[in-house]
Amino acid sequence: AEVVLITCPYFTLKLLTLKDAVLASDTLGQSFHSLTVIEGQVLLQGRGWQQALSRYETALIPANSGDYQITPLGQVRVLKASVE
C-alpha cells in the first residue's frame, strides 16, 4: 500500500507498507528518490546495483538511475521522498 503523507511544491512524502510483493519503482529521470526504512528490512535492486537496508537506514537514488525494485524481507514500512 502507498499513502501520501504530505505534499508541497518542493517534495512529496509517501509511506509504503509492503509484505510479500516486490514493488517496482522508477525515477523516470525526473527526481531523486530517498527511501528510509522505518520497520523491517528491504533489498533495493537496480541496473548494476543492489543495496540492503535495515530499520532507520536511508538510500538516496539519483534521478538518472531509472527503474529499480524494492523487495521486502517480511513486513516493512518505508518512507519515500521525491519531487513530483
Side-chain angles (χ1 to χ4, degrees):
E2 187 174 296
V3 176
V4 175
L5 299 177
I6 189 167
T7 189
C8 69
Y10 305 105
F11 70 93
T12 297
L13 181 64
K14 296 178 180 178
L15 175 63
L16 310 176
T17 303
L18 310 169
K19 185 171 181 180
D20 298 319
V22 173
L23 178 65
S25 195
D26 196 333
T27 63
L28 302 172
Q30 298 176 353
S31 171
F32 71 91
H33 288 181
S34 175
L35 303 171
T36 301
V37 176
I38 59 173
E39 178 185 331
Q41 295 178 315
V42 300
L43 177 63
L44 304 177
Q45 295 175 289
R47 288 183 231 154
W49 63 271
Q50 70 176 18
Q51 179 66 49
L53 292 180
S54 296
R55 189 174 185 196
Y56 304 133
E57 293 184 323
T58 299
L60 184 63
I61 301 168
N64 68 353
S65 294
D67 61 315
Y68 65 95
Q69 295 178 332
I70 304 170
T71 303
L73 305 174
Q75 175 75 28
V76 300
R77 293 188 309 148
V78 178
L79 293 174
K80 176 183 175 183
S82 62
V83 178
E84 293 190 5

